[in-house]
């Protein structure tokens, strides 16, 4: 049957059973039993509900509505273009197991960039937008724009089946509207920004060595160049700086772990963590308050991008010379300034940790002075949290 002027329809005296209800424009009434009508919408309308619905009638009244919209429907996906699961990173195309990005804003705009409608992507990264015929008619321009979430970088987009084109600078797909169309696969490709942690600072005495641990967490496939530059105070003194690739992330330099040179490239893939160790040596003879501030710059060239997409990250490590904040301080004293031959001298080695880091193990060595031989040694009174003191000494009467 045909709907009335208000779009209303009603079938009466329907026998119990299962029925297909089909929306079909302009069909003759009654539709012949032998011929299933095509599922169609009125001219210039797109469906907001399926045109075919199945209905079970069992003695009770039933209601089934069909929704149509006068204009065009646009749908697509915003996804993480990071190449996971066999995909290609940063190519602007959803491939492999690249997943959708939820809660991302997508806007429909007119050719003159007036907002028509905006929405957010669902859990699968999908969105649907509608453009009314009254706003953009046949032959008018429609722009679909993504607004990246915080900490995401655009790698591309796809105009889908619109026949339009994508512009990376504005993150907009632009196409010419045919009213009543249902456009699909208008997609947007982003990747999360990679992460570089963290800033460091240490106080050391002249001649000391500082190590700073850093982690670089790649969120997409890229070639990374790590370079260092230092600002020294006073500026005429050079502080030796070396950057190591801490392959086993131990926080220490192990045998075989390479120094990263300025021209080296570290290739990373999505989810990979690169551990770095920066070693800064305080020159001998620098005075209290001298400092060196080293910046580690990480420049990522995203794989598969042309023109090249880059992300730069940096961290700084500050080393300050401070006598007062020297870590371990040892002092040695003797109980008599002079002694007769055969007398016993008692030497005391005292230790104090003035640093802000705990010291977990410590080895102190000393020599028997000239004209003396070893008598005995003990650990003295240990602080509460210091245990396991052992003494390795020469035999009594010997030197060592
Ligand atoms: Ca419909
Ligand atoms: Ca991809
Ligand atoms: Ca984007
Ligand atoms: Ca290591």
């Amino acid at each position: 049957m045909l709907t009335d002027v208000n779009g209303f329809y009603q079938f009466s005296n329907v026998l119990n059973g299962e029925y297909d209800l089909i929306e079909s424009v302009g069909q003759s009434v009654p539709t012949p039993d032998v011929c299933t009508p095509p599922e169609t919408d009125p001219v210039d309308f797109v469906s907001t509900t399926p045109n075919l619905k199945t209905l079970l009638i069992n003695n009770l009244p039933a209601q089934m509505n069909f929704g149509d919209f006068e204009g065009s429907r646009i749908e697509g996906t915003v996804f993480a273009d990071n190449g996971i699961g066999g995909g290609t990173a940063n190519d602007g195309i959803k491939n492999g197991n690249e997943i959708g990005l939820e809660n991302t804003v997508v806007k429909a705009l007119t050719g003159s960039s007036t907002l028509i409608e905006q929405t957010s992507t669902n859990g699968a990264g999908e969105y649907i937008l509608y453009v009314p015929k009254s706003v953009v008619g046949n032959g008018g321009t429609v722009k679909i724009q993504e607004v990246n979430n915080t900490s995401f970088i655009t790698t591309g987009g796809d105009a889908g089946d619109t026949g339009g084109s994508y512009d990376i600078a504005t993150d907009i797909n632009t196409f010419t509207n045919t009213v009543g169309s249902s456009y699909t696969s208008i997609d947007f490709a982003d990747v999360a920004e990679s992460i570089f942690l963290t800033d460091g600072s240490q106080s050391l005495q002249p001649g000391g060595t500082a190590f700073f641990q850093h982690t670089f967490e790649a969120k997409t496939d890229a070639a990374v160049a790590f370079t260092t530059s230092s600002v020294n105070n006073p500026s005429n003194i050079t502080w030796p700086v070396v950057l190591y690739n801490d392959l086993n992330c131990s926080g220490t330099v192990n045998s075989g772990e390479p120094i990263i040179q300025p021209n080296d490239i570290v290739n990373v893939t999505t989810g990979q963590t690169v551990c770095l160790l920066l070693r800064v040596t305080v020159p001998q003879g620098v005075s209290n308050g001298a400092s060196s501030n080293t910046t580690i710059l990480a420049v990522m060239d995203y794989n598969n991008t042309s023109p090249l997409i880059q992300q730069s990250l940096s961290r700084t490590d500050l080393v300050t010379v401070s006598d007062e904040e020297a870590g371990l301080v040892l002092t040695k004293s003797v109980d008599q300034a002079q002694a007769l031959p055969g007398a016993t001298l008692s030497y005391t080695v005292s230790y104090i940790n003035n640093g802000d880091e705990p010291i977990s193990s410590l080895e102190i060595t000393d020599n028997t002075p000239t004209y003396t031989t070893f008598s005995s040694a003990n650990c003295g009174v240990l602080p509460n949290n210091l245990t396991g003191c052992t003494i390795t000494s020469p035999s009594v009467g010997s030197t060592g």
Side-chain angles (χ1 to χ4, degrees):
M1 69 174 299
L2 288 177
T3 54
D4 69 11
V5 68
N6 295 313
F8 181 76
Y9 74 91
Q10 179 174 301
F11 293 102
S12 304
N13 304 319
V14 177
L15 298 177
N16 285 347
E18 188 178 276
Y19 294 87
D20 282 345
L21 285 174
I22 297 171
E23 178 189 342
S24 187
V25 164
Q27 290 297 301
S28 59
V29 179
T31 301
D33 287 347
V34 293
C35 179
T36 303
E39 299 168 30
T40 54
D41 302 303
V43 174
D44 290 349
F45 284 78
V46 288
S47 290
T48 58
T49 61
N51 284 340
L52 167 62
K53 292 187 172 187
T54 301
L55 185 62
L56 191 63
I57 300 297
N58 186 13
N59 296 322
L60 295 172
Q63 185 172 351
M64 189 65 84
N65 296 325
F66 294 87
D68 290 322
F69 177 82
E70 189 176 27
S72 298
R73 180 181 192 272
I74 296 110
E75 70 171 66
T77 304
V78 180
F79 66 96
D81 191 16
N82 54 16
I84 64 165
T88 302
N90 317 315
D91 64 348
I93 300 167
K94 191 171 187 296
N95 38 29
N97 292 329
E98 291 174 344
I99 59 168
L101 294 170
E102 64 180 341
N103 288 327
T104 306
V105 171
V106 183
K107 297 176 174 179
L109 309 169
T110 66
S112 56
S113 297
T114 301
L115 179 66
I116 302 167
E117 186 193 11
Q118 74 176 49
T119 187
S120 291
T121 56
N122 64 15
E126 299 160 345
Y127 73 91
I128 299 171
L129 289 165
Y130 290 93
V131 174
K133 177 186 178 183
S134 59
V135 178
V136 182
N138 266 322
T141 298
V142 174
K143 298 176 179 178
I144 307 297
Q145 181 174 39
E146 190 220 336
V147 182
N148 285 12
N149 275 340
T150 307
S151 304
F152 279 84
I153 290 175
T154 294
T155 57
D158 188 337
D161 58 5
T162 62
S165 62
Y166 172 75
D167 175 51
I168 195 168
T170 53
D171 217 357
I172 288 178
N173 276 300
T174 303
F175 62 92
T176 302
N177 188 33
T178 300
V179 175
S181 297
S182 188
Y183 297 109
T184 59
S185 300
I186 298 89
D187 295 340
F188 295 90
D190 298 335
V191 293
E193 291 179 357
S194 296
I195 297 168
F196 192 25
L197 299 173
T198 187
D199 292 339
S201 73
Q202 292 185 30
S203 293
L204 289 176
Q205 287 183 304
T209 301
F211 281 93
F212 296 96
Q213 273 186 277
H214 296 277
T215 54
F216 179 92
E217 190 181 339
K219 298 294 189 181
T220 192
D221 296 1
V224 190
F226 295 98
T227 54
T228 63
S229 60
S230 300
V231 176
N232 300 326
N233 177 30
S235 59
N236 61 338
I237 298 177
T238 300
W239 298 44
V241 171
V242 182
L243 185 64
Y244 292 93
N245 191 340
D246 182 13
L247 296 174
N248 62 356
C249 296
S250 65
T252 56
V253 179
N254 300 99
S255 167
E257 289 182 335
I259 292 171
I260 298 177
Q261 307 286 358
N263 293 325
D264 288 351
I265 294 298
V266 180
N267 288 300
V268 295
T269 56
T270 301
Q272 182 180 346
T273 296
V274 178
C275 294
L276 303 174
L277 269 177
L278 184 79
R279 188 184 75 187
V280 181
T281 304
V282 184
Q284 294 287 357
V286 292
S287 51
N288 209 19
S291 65
S292 178
N293 199 14
T294 300
T295 298
I296 307 174
L297 177 64
V299 178
M300 294 179 77
D301 289 356
Y302 283 17
N303 291 358
N304 315 312
T305 59
S306 178
L308 181 67
I309 297 175
Q310 281 190 322
Q311 187 195 350
S312 294
L313 294 157
S314 68
R315 286 292 171 185
T316 58
D317 294 319
L318 174 66
V319 179
T320 308
V321 175
S322 173
D323 292 338
E324 287 123 35
E325 290 202 23
L328 181 69
V329 176
L330 296 176
T331 53
K332 181 177 170 184
S333 59
V334 64
D335 62 342
Q336 318 171 48
Q338 294 183 323
L340 293 171
T344 299
L345 294 167
S346 181
Y347 292 88
T348 303
V349 177
S350 301
Y351 47 85
I352 184 166
N353 178 15
N354 286 330
D356 52 10
E357 299 282 329
I359 293 174
S360 57
S361 71
L362 174 64
E363 184 176 296
I364 300 171
T365 59
D366 197 14
N367 296 321
T368 50
T370 312
Y371 307 120
T372 66
T373 58
F374 180 74
S375 174
S376 69
N378 65 64
C379 287
V381 179
L382 295 172
N384 287 338
N385 54 358
L386 203 62
T387 57
C389 176
T390 58
I391 293 172
T392 305
S393 62
S395 53
V396 174
S398 300
T399 58

